[in-house]
Amino acid sequence: MLRLGTIICTFSVLAIAARADFKARNCSEVREACIGKGFNFAHVPLQEIPGEHLRVCPQGNTCCTQEMEDTFGQQSKQDFENLVDEISHELRSTFVSRHKRFDEIVMSVTEADSSPAHTYLTPQPTCHKFFLELLENTERSLNEMFVRTYGKPYMQNSEVFENLFAELKRYYTGGNVNLEEMLNDFWSRLLERMFTLLNSQYVITEDYLECISKYTDQLKPFGDVPRKLKAQVTRAFIAARTFVQGLSVGREVAQRVSKVSSTPACIRALTKMLYCPFCQGMPAVKPCKNYCLNVMKGCLANQADLDPEWNLYIGELKQL
């Protein structure tokens, strides 16, 4: 947040004219500066006038009319809000691009896999669509391999695997799925189907199959594969779903925080800092860094309160 204030200060003061003449007390330089910034005032005094009419800037001798001061206040608000939106645009764009980036990687991976020359890719942050496409590619590859290897027996029981991938997709997209229970159920159903196929000469009752399922842990018909797969799938899917949800949260927070609603006190402070020097005949005078930062802290007080939590959020997202 301090960095944001510093950047805004820098942009703000650079928006003011480039030269200062501290000795000048006529208003010709103010007139030129106003024209240079695109102001179209009906009247700019040639010489300083009494400033009793001013409500924000010092009320001594001034180069500003009431119209000028009011316009400076409106311009201060617009400049500040535009700068905050512009500076936070990069942050918002980062979260959006991370969601889209995996689409590019999917195409690159596909091209690399189909090309004789292997292509090395630099891993990039994930997005929703990429993970789902990886899952679909995995399901398709597994299905093709099992069709070639087991043929009709597999095709007659392929819904066991189709249901597995359907549940994995449902979990990833936010569905209420218990991964551990779902995987246990998958191995139980797979065992029942395989036992029936391997013992087709017998009549296998539902009670018998249920009994077999109860003793799966003791029998370990698939060895240590279920335990390893459960650990890998659970770890990968929890991390992936959390990461994508985290990106969505970050994008939403950045979007909301960038919409600054300037308070009257903030607008007064901005006008004093940026445009009251115009009224004093010194349009090129720049505010010092500490003054500018103090104004920014006041105008961005609500955003500054998010700073500790935002840093924690970014740290956790990087770990994911």
Side-chain angles (χ1 to χ4, degrees), residues 2 5-6 9 80 265-266 269-270 273 287-301:
L2 181 61
T6 303
C9 286
F80 174 68
C266 171
L270 289 167
M273 180 178 70
C288 67
K289 178 181 178 180
N290 288 338
Y291 175 29
C292 188
L293 288 176
N294 283 336
V295 172
M296 292 301 108
K297 287 177 182 178
C299 290
L300 297 170

Side-chain angles (χ1 to χ4, degrees), residues 194-211:
M194 291 185 66
F195 187 85
T196 302
L197 284 172
L198 294 173
N199 297 277
S200 57
Q201 68 273 31
Y202 301 107
V203 177
I204 310 297
T205 64
E206 290 294 326
D207 290 340
Y208 194 88
L209 290 175
E210 184 178 348
C211 178

Side-chain angles (χ1 to χ4, degrees), residues 252-307:
E252 182 66 22
V253 170
Q255 181 68 29
R256 292 188 181 186
V257 170
S258 67
K259 303 302 180 184
V260 177
S261 180
S262 304
T263 64
C266 171
I267 296 172
R268 285 178 62 88
L270 289 167
T271 304
K272 284 183 178 181
M273 180 178 70
L274 296 175
Y275 289 105
C276 282
F278 281 61
C279 297
Q280 295 172 294
M282 299 177 289
V285 169
K286 300 178 181 179
C288 67
K289 178 181 178 180
N290 288 338
Y291 175 29
C292 188
L293 288 176
N294 283 336
V295 172
M296 292 301 108
K297 287 177 182 178
C299 290
L300 297 170
N302 291 332
Q303 285 80 359
D305 289 341
L306 289 173
D307 199 46

Side-chain angles (χ1 to χ4, degrees), residues 30-297:
V30 176
R31 180 189 298 271
E32 293 175 5
C34 289
I35 293 174
K37 287 185 67 65
F39 291 114
N40 186 24
F41 295 122
H43 172 66
V44 177
L46 296 175
Q47 300 289 334
E48 289 182 330
I49 60 175
E52 292 85 357
H53 56 280
L54 300 180
R55 291 174 294 182
V56 177
C57 297
Q59 292 186 332
N61 291 338
T62 183
C63 288
C64 286
T65 62
Q66 183 64 63
E67 176 204 10
M68 292 173 67
E69 187 185 52
D70 291 344
T71 302
F72 287 154
Q74 296 168 9
Q75 190 63 42
S76 297
K77 180 178 186 296
Q78 182 178 333
D79 288 348
F80 174 68
E81 293 178 355
N82 288 345
L83 284 170
V84 171
D85 184 73
E86 177 184 338
I87 292 167
S88 61
H89 175 73
E90 181 181 356
L91 177 64
R92 302 196 305 272
S93 298
T94 298
F95 281 100
V96 173
S97 67
R98 291 302 182 260
H99 270 73
K100 295 179 179 178
R101 184 67 59 85
F102 259 17
D103 290 339
E104 301 169 6
I105 301 176
V106 168
M107 291 187 292
S108 299
V109 169
T110 303
E111 293 169 359
D113 288 344
S114 61
S115 171
H118 185 72
T119 302
Y120 292 93
L121 300 172
T122 302
Q124 299 289 346
T126 64
C127 88
H128 184 74
K129 187 175 180 181
F130 176 56
F131 197 86
L132 288 177
E133 289 196 18
L134 282 181
L135 200 56
E136 290 169 0
N137 290 340
T138 302
E139 180 180 9
R140 182 169 55 253
S141 298
L142 183 116
N143 181 70
E144 292 172 355
M145 181 183 70
F146 278 12
V147 168
R148 290 193 304 267
T149 305
Y150 302 109
K152 188 176 180 180
Y154 164 74
M155 296 170 65
Q156 292 175 336
N157 296 276
S158 61
E159 74 273 9
V160 175
F161 294 90
E162 292 171 1
N163 292 338
L164 168 67
F165 282 97
E167 287 297 286
L168 289 173
K169 292 174 188 175
R170 193 162 73 89
Y171 170 82
Y172 178 70
T173 54
N176 184 21
V177 177
N178 185 306
L179 282 179
E180 185 171 348
E181 291 180 1
M182 183 269 293
L183 289 171
N184 288 340
D185 185 57
F186 163 74
W187 291 112
S188 294
R189 283 180 292 155
L190 183 61
L191 175 61
E192 292 174 3
R193 296 297 181 94
M194 291 185 66
F195 187 85
T196 302
L197 284 172
L198 294 173
N199 297 277
S200 57
Q201 68 273 31
Y202 301 107
V203 177
I204 310 297
T205 64
E206 290 294 326
D207 290 340
Y208 194 88
L209 290 175
E210 184 178 348
C211 178
I212 291 175
S213 297
K214 288 181 180 180
Y215 290 94
T216 299
D217 290 341
Q218 290 90 335
L219 296 173
K220 293 187 181 299
F222 302 106
D224 203 32
V225 173
R227 185 189 65 80
K228 291 181 178 179
L229 185 65
K230 183 189 300 182
Q232 293 171 349
V233 169
T234 301
R235 178 181 177 185
F237 274 78
I238 290 177
R241 186 169 82 161
T242 304
F243 183 74
V244 170
Q245 290 175 343
L247 287 179
S248 299
V249 170
R251 179 181 58 188
E252 182 66 22
V253 170
Q255 181 68 29
R256 292 188 181 186
V257 170
S258 67
K259 303 302 180 184
V260 177
S261 180
S262 304
T263 64
C266 171
I267 296 172
R268 285 178 62 88
L270 289 167
T271 304
K272 284 183 178 181
M273 180 178 70
L274 296 175
Y275 289 105
C276 282
F278 281 61
C279 297
Q280 295 172 294
M282 299 177 289
V285 169
K286 300 178 181 179
C288 67
K289 178 181 178 180
N290 288 338
Y291 175 29
C292 188
L293 288 176
N294 283 336
V295 172
M296 292 301 108
K297 287 177 182 178

